[in-house]
């Protein structure tokens, strides 16, 4: 979404992680997605790094409001909340505890987020910021596990989620692409969120 907001044209390659193409591993030995290949000396293979690069490249004001607070929230979300989200989402892979236990661990973070949104449209006020775009995919994943529970428990967070889900920015990034084959020509994408 940051790349879309920055109006950056990219060459998009949709892959299957269960069938990683050699071209991905040549660019990033981690073999994870997303990867942004800028040039031979500049490859980003962390979502947050790609976001920051896009913000700086396009001089977006997405870190304008309370930059340090945003970065702190993103760090806690990426490290702590995501740990419990993975266990909640794939609870059958983590039989040490119950689904309810993992849901309750996620609930602690979601309650804090819901409280922040009690009096504002976005986490840092009336304008969407980097923290909204960084937390959104994880909160979306969590909500989709049990949507009724999420809607009942987190009214303000659900309003925030629905606002982003229905935004032109989000919808511009949600096109489906066929899986890239190394013999295929490239897909040039210029997200249009206007």
């Amino acid at each position: 979404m940051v790349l879309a907001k920055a109006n950056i044209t990219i060459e998009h390659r949709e892959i299957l992680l269960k069938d990683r193409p050699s071209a991905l591993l040549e660019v990033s030995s981690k073999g994870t997605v997303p990867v942004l290949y800028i040039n031979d000396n500049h490859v980003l293979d962390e979502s947050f790094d790609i976001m920051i690069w896009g913000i700086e490249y396009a001089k977006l004001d997405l870190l304008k409001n309370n930059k340090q607070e945003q970065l702190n929230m993103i760090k806690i979300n990426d490290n702590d909340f995501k740990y419990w989200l993975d266990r909640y989402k794939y609870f059958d892979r983590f039989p040490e505890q119950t689904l309810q236990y993992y849901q309750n661990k996620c609930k602690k973070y979601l309650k804090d987020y819901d409280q922040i949104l009690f009096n504002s449209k976005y986490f840092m006020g009336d304008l969407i910021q980097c923290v909204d775009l960084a937390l959104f995919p994880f909160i979306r994943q969590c909500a989709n596990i049990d949507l009724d529970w999420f809607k009942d428990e987190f009214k303000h967070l659900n309003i925030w989620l629905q606002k982003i889900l229905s935004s032109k920015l989000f919808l511009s990034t949600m096109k489906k692409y066929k899986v890239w084959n190394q013999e295929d020509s490239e897909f040039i994408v210029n997200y249009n969120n206007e």
Side-chain angles (χ1 to χ4, degrees):
M1 287 192 289
V2 168
L3 297 179
K5 194 157 183 64
N7 200 27
I8 294 173
T9 300
I10 63 168
E11 182 181 294
H12 181 91
R13 295 180 176 181
E14 188 74 24
I15 66 151
L16 296 175
L17 286 176
K18 65 182 179 184
D19 188 21
R20 290 172 173 87
S22 60
L24 171 64
L25 298 172
E26 289 167 13
V27 171
S28 172
S29 60
K30 285 174 60 177
T32 59
V33 293
V35 174
L36 181 63
Y37 173 88
I38 299 166
N39 59 47
D40 286 342
N41 299 316
H42 200 177
V43 176
L44 303 173
D45 55 12
E46 291 290 337
S47 299
F48 180 70
D49 294 338
I50 294 169
M51 293 177 74
I52 296 300
W53 177 85
I55 290 168
E56 291 173 353
Y57 180 84
K59 297 178 175 52
L60 299 175
D61 63 359
L62 292 175
L63 286 167
K64 175 181 169 184
N65 297 340
N66 305 313
K67 179 178 179 177
Q68 195 54 53
E69 187 178 345
Q70 288 193 61
L71 296 176
N72 290 341
M73 280 184 72
I74 292 167
K75 183 177 179 183
I76 290 168
N77 187 80
D78 287 0
N79 296 322
D80 302 341
F81 176 67
K82 186 179 182 310
Y83 175 87
W84 293 114
L85 172 60
D86 288 344
R87 281 147 183 77
Y88 177 40
K89 187 174 179 182
Y90 305 110
F91 74 95
D92 54 333
R93 298 181 196 170
F94 300 95
E96 302 83 17
Q97 298 293 341
T98 64
L99 171 69
Q100 187 67 46
Y101 177 88
Y102 296 129
Q103 185 184 65
N104 285 334
K105 288 292 188 178
C106 290
K107 183 176 180 177
K108 290 180 185 179
Y109 299 92
L110 299 175
K111 278 177 62 177
D112 289 345
Y113 297 158
D114 194 61
Q115 186 61 40
I116 292 169
L117 293 164
F118 181 76
N119 284 322
S120 64
K121 289 167 65 173
Y122 298 103
F123 284 118
M124 295 295 139
D126 289 338
L127 297 174
I128 197 165
Q129 292 286 284
C130 181
V131 67
D132 297 286
L133 301 179
L135 271 59
F136 166 75
F138 300 105
I139 295 171
R140 179 179 175 233
Q141 286 176 40
C142 192
N144 286 337
I145 297 168
D146 184 344
L147 204 48
D148 291 334
W149 169 78
F150 184 85
K151 288 178 181 177
D152 290 345
E153 292 281 339
F154 314 108
K155 177 184 174 191
H156 309 291
L157 188 57
N158 185 55
I159 291 168
W160 170 89
L161 178 65
Q162 297 307 316
K163 189 179 301 148
I164 295 177
L165 285 171
S166 62
S167 70
K168 289 180 182 176
L169 178 61
F170 173 71
L171 296 173
S172 75
T173 66
M174 291 306 291
K175 296 177 177 123
K176 295 284 186 189
Y177 298 93
K178 73 176 194 166
V179 174
W180 178 74
N181 178 315
Q182 292 184 116
E183 286 78 43
D184 288 345
S185 59
E186 321 309 343
F187 299 104
I188 303 299
V189 178
N190 187 351
Y191 300 111
N192 183 356
N193 65 74
E194 298 304 322

